[in-house]
């Protein structure tokens, strides 16, 4: 890993000797693969912003206890899970499970407050929890979008492209999971190619498949080939998204995947997926009580399966338009929900997942910029530990956008600077510059400026700060058009990280054998 300031300083002589070409060359390096320029994860040096005080948390926690004991949750199509809850002392009535007060809070105490997710390149390992934030790309869209081909179903080529773009970005720490849905592959077999793409085309951490228990088993088996069986048993090498089927339901598919990963000591993000007003009450407090009930139940279940297994308390919560029923993003209510859930997670001593670069816009336009900037800033300020959907989200999560991926990644770079807080070192206080310049002067030629100009301010890779005349001469490009050129250049310059040939062949052999063992299916 190369320190950011060292890299920037080393390019200063190129700028001074190369003039305009030096600036251009450095910009190209930033845009086309400078993933070595940044730490493998972000450590926040700014305090968290809390909208919910301790007294408010206690009221929400008390209501959560009532929800858990009086209403309970349903765990559908999984008798084994019902037996687990029964043995743990919960009240089981059919598929409905009710919990004594404090039971789930006690169970999650065995979960680690922080843990390491290992990457195949150890320099890319991430620490999840504490003051750390991990940015991971968009997850789950069936469609992709770019300025050249428009909106269309995703393919495995698109999937691999987004993995590569996440790999070369200096601002994304994680390869993610279903960066788009490759609908050109059979539903029951595409998980092989998806997991392999993360292993092959990136050396950052990645996510496993959760769409069926057997697909989770395949993901674990592939991880054991990549890392070794012994290493996987003792270390987290995958993290995966387990959604509650809100309100107050876990279905058999998610429960099956959760059991596979928890038994294998791999991290689960237990995350209710809620559109407030439709899948939860219309109020922030009522929704937070439901989020806490659902998240606690799933997190506690992982600890009953394997005490000490890593788990992340998650919350994906947005509101809906009460006029149309359509999801809305970038709303003040969404920020309050995210922020409140973050504090509730901290009170449990669990890492927290939420946030992203959300928008309901259909294009990478002003609406998408406003909504995404609002939510990603709120994500950082709330102290989110694992941020899914940090780049590429469009159309309420139905689309993975190439151009928005680039624009969002640039915003993530700004979050890295914001997270550092205010530097109060002697160099940052700049007394020598003030003494040198004095009243009425300027700082452009000061020695302090010359020492620090390379790293003084964040330099956007997508914004155009030139004069109108220069912008016009450069083709009058808007932000989306500039992003279009950037992602194409990044894919053109992409170099696959080295993977041991023996491991690569073993992965391919495993996939070929498994695929041949059952017929293609679209379910």
């Amino acid at each position: 890993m190369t320190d950011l300031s060292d890299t920037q300083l080393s390019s200063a002589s190129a700028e001074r000797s190369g003039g305009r070409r030096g600036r251009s060359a450095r910009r190209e390096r930033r845009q086309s693969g400078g993933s070595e320029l940044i730490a493998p994860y972000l450590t926040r040096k700014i305090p968290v912003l809390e909208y919910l005080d301790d007294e408010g948390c206690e009221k929400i926690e008390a209501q959560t206890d009532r929800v858990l004991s009086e209403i309970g949750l349903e765990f559908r199509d999984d008798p084994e899970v019902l037996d687990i809850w029964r043995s743990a002392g919960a009240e089981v009535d059919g598929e409905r499970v009710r919990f004594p007060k404090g039971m789930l809070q006690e169970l999650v105490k065995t979960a680690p407050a922080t843990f390491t997710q290992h990457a195949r390149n150890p320099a890319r390992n991430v620490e999840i929890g504490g003051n750390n934030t991990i940015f991971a790309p968009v997850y789950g869209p069936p469609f992709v979008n770019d300025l050249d081909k428009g909106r269309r179903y995703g393919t495995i080529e698109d999937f691999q492209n987004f993995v590569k773009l996440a790999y070369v970005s200096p601002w994304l720490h994680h390869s993610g999971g279903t960066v788009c849905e490759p609908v050109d592959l059979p539903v029951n077999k595409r998980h092989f190619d998806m997991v392999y793409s993360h292993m092959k085309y990136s050396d950052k951490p990645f996510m496993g498949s959760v769409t069926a228990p057997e697909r989770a088993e395949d993901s674990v088996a592939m991880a054991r080939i990549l890392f070794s069986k012994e290493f996987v048993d003792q270390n987290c090498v995958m993290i995966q998204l387990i959604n509650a089927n809100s309100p107050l339901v876990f279905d058999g598919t998610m429960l099956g995947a959760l059991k596979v990963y928890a038994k294998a000591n791999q991290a689960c993000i237990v995350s209710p997926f809620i559109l407030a007003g439709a899948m939860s009450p219309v109020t922030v407090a009522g929704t937070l009580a439901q989020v806490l009930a659902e998240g606690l139940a799933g997190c506690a279940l992982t600890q009953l399966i394997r005490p000490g297994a890593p788990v992340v308390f998650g919350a994906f919560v947005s509101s809906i338009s009460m006029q149309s029923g359509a999801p809305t993003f970038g709303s003040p209510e969404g920020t309050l929900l995210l922020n409140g859930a973050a504090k509730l997670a901290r009170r449990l001593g669990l890492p927290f997942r939420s946030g992203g670069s959300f928008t309901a816009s259909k294009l990478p336009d002003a609406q998408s910029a406003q909504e995404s900037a609002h939510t990603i800033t709120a994500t950082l300020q709330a102290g989110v530990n694992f941020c899914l959907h940090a780049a590429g989200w469009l159309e309420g999560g139905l689309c993975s956008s190439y151009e928005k991926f680039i624009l969002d990644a640039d915003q993530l770079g700004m979050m890295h600077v914001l997270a550092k807080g205010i530097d109060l070192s002697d160099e940052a206080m700049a007394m020598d510059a003030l003494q040198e310049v004095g009243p009425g002067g300027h700082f452009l030629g000061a020695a302090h400026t010359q020492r620090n100009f390379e790293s003084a301010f964040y330099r956007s890779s997508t914004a155009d700060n030139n004069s109108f005349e220069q912008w016009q001469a450069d083709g009058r490009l808007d932000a989306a058009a500039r992003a279009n050129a950037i992602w194409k250049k990044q894919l053109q310059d992409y170099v696959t990280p080295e993977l041991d040939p023996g491991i690569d062949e073993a992965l391919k052999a495993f996939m070929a054998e498994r695929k041949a063992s059952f017929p293609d299916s679209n379910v």
Side-chain angles (χ1 to χ4, degrees):
M1 180 182 70
T2 304
D3 185 79
L4 178 60
S5 59
D6 290 343
T7 304
Q8 290 179 324
L9 289 172
S10 70
S11 65
S13 60
E15 165 124 6
R16 288 193 292 270
S17 63
R20 184 175 177 85
R21 177 55 198 162
R23 292 192 295 274
S24 175
R26 188 178 63 253
R27 182 172 63 251
E28 289 177 8
R29 285 195 297 275
R30 289 201 308 272
Q31 293 173 352
S32 65
S35 57
E36 77 280 0
L37 298 181
I38 194 166
Y41 54 91
L42 184 158
T43 299
R44 301 182 308 277
K45 297 182 180 179
I46 56 175
V48 294
L49 177 63
E50 294 185 343
Y51 297 134
L52 186 64
D53 61 18
D54 289 338
E55 183 179 357
C57 287
E58 290 168 2
K59 290 186 69 172
I60 290 170
E61 289 162 350
Q63 177 154 317
T64 296
D65 283 333
R66 290 192 61 191
V67 171
L68 290 169
S69 62
E70 297 176 18
I71 303 171
L73 281 78
E74 288 191 3
F75 295 82
R76 296 178 178 172
D77 304 318
D78 198 319
E80 181 185 11
V81 166
L82 297 175
D83 287 340
I84 290 172
W85 284 126
R86 190 178 290 107
S87 298
E91 176 190 332
V92 179
D93 180 13
E95 293 185 321
R96 181 77 64 93
V97 181
R98 295 177 176 86
F99 307 91
K101 181 180 178 180
M103 173 186 174
L104 300 184
Q105 291 88 336
E106 190 65 28
L107 287 172
V108 298
K109 288 181 179 179
T110 60
T114 63
F115 63 93
T116 303
Q117 184 186 355
H118 294 263
R120 71 174 175 92
N121 177 358
R124 308 283 197 185
N125 292 354
V126 295
E127 297 292 325
I128 300 175
N131 291 326
N132 304 321
T133 293
I134 314 303
F135 288 137
V138 62
Y139 182 107
F143 300 103
V144 300
N145 194 315
D146 67 65
L147 295 186
D148 303 291
K149 299 178 182 178
R151 185 181 189 266
R152 61 196 186 279
Y153 281 109
T155 67
I156 190 61
E157 180 182 6
D158 291 308
F159 188 100
Q160 293 167 354
N161 284 343
F162 282 112
V163 170
K164 293 172 183 178
L165 291 173
Y167 168 68
V168 303
S169 173
W171 310 121
L172 282 152
H173 314 110
H174 205 276
S175 193
T178 308
V179 288
C180 71
E181 195 72 39
V183 299
D184 55 334
L185 300 178
V187 169
N188 65 335
K189 295 182 180 180
R190 64 180 61 154
H191 64 285
F192 293 109
D193 300 88
M194 295 158 72
V195 173
Y196 175 75
S197 294
H198 286 296
M199 293 177 169
K200 174 69 174 180
Y201 299 111
S202 177
D203 62 5
K204 293 181 178 181
F206 60 91
M207 304 175 76
S209 175
V210 296
T211 52
E214 59 270 20
R215 297 168 199 170
E217 294 279 11
D218 288 331
S219 300
V220 172
M222 293 175 70
R224 287 168 175 159
I225 294 171
L226 184 64
F227 291 95
S228 86
K229 182 177 180 180
E230 295 75 16
F231 190 88
V232 170
D233 184 63
Q234 297 301 314
N235 298 278
C236 173
V237 301
M238 285 188 297
I239 190 168
Q240 20 283 323
L241 183 61
I242 305 295
N243 284 130
N245 191 356
S246 304
L248 304 174
V249 171
F250 280 90
D251 62 41
T253 298
M254 289 290 100
L255 292 171
L258 180 148
K259 289 188 295 182
V260 169
Y261 287 116
K263 289 175 184 176
N265 199 32
Q266 301 307 300
C268 292
I269 303 170
V270 180
S271 191
F273 182 98
I274 290 177
L275 298 177
M279 302 160 71
S280 74
V282 296
T283 58
V284 171
T287 296
L288 284 174
Q290 180 183 319
V291 166
L292 183 56
E294 293 173 354
L296 252 179
C299 291
L301 180 58
T302 68
Q303 300 308 293
L304 287 172
I305 292 168
R306 181 164 175 168
V311 66
V312 176
F313 180 93
F316 177 94
V317 185
S318 188
S319 55
I320 63 169
S321 167
M322 299 310 294
Q323 288 71 44
S324 69
T328 57
F329 298 94
S331 68
E333 294 83 8
T335 295
L336 292 171
L337 285 161
L338 183 159
N339 191 281
K343 180 157 185 178
L344 293 168
R346 283 192 291 273
R347 286 168 65 88
L348 290 171
L350 295 174
F352 179 60
R353 171 261 159 160
S354 192
S357 297
F358 298 134
T359 181
S361 180
K362 316 308 179 284
L363 298 169
D365 57 6
Q367 178 186 342
S368 73
Q370 180 269 322
E371 291 174 347
S372 293
H374 184 86
T375 52
I376 200 64
T377 302
T379 295
L380 181 72
Q381 293 176 333
V384 170
N385 298 119
F386 191 91
C387 173
L388 201 56
H389 313 300
W393 168 292
L394 197 65
E395 199 185 326
L398 290 175
C399 255
S400 295
S401 165
Y402 282 82
E403 285 78 26
K404 190 165 181 292
F405 193 100
I406 299 300
L407 295 168
D408 288 340
D410 190 41
Q411 289 288 314
L412 300 182
M414 298 181 192
M415 295 303 103
H416 281 75
V417 175
L418 182 61
K420 293 179 181 178
I422 299 174
D423 182 1
L424 297 175
S425 66
D426 289 344
E427 181 71 359
M429 294 300 291
M431 187 64 189
D432 63 320
L434 292 162
Q435 290 174 330
E436 178 185 345
V437 173
H442 69 77
F443 291 84
L444 291 175
H448 180 274
T449 302
Q450 294 299 307
R451 290 198 305 272
N452 291 283
F453 80 96
E454 278 285 335
S455 57
F457 307 114
Y458 178 77
R459 299 187 182 189
S460 171
S461 62
T462 62
D464 187 309
N465 301 308
N466 292 321
S467 67
F468 176 84
E469 290 76 14
Q470 185 61 56
W471 170 76
Q472 191 171 41
D474 289 340
R476 302 172 62 92
L477 302 178
D478 63 13
R482 292 191 294 272
N484 178 268
I486 292 170
W487 70 257
K488 291 176 180 176
K489 183 71 163 62
Q490 288 183 347
L491 291 180
Q492 177 184 325
D493 294 345
Y494 165 83
V495 177
T496 304
E498 184 177 351
L499 176 62
D500 181 278
I503 291 176
D504 196 14
E505 288 304 313
L507 287 168
K508 291 177 180 177
F510 171 81
M511 292 191 295
E513 181 179 357
R514 284 286 292 126
K515 287 181 180 181
S517 67
F518 54 93
D520 293 355
S521 171
N522 286 321
V523 294

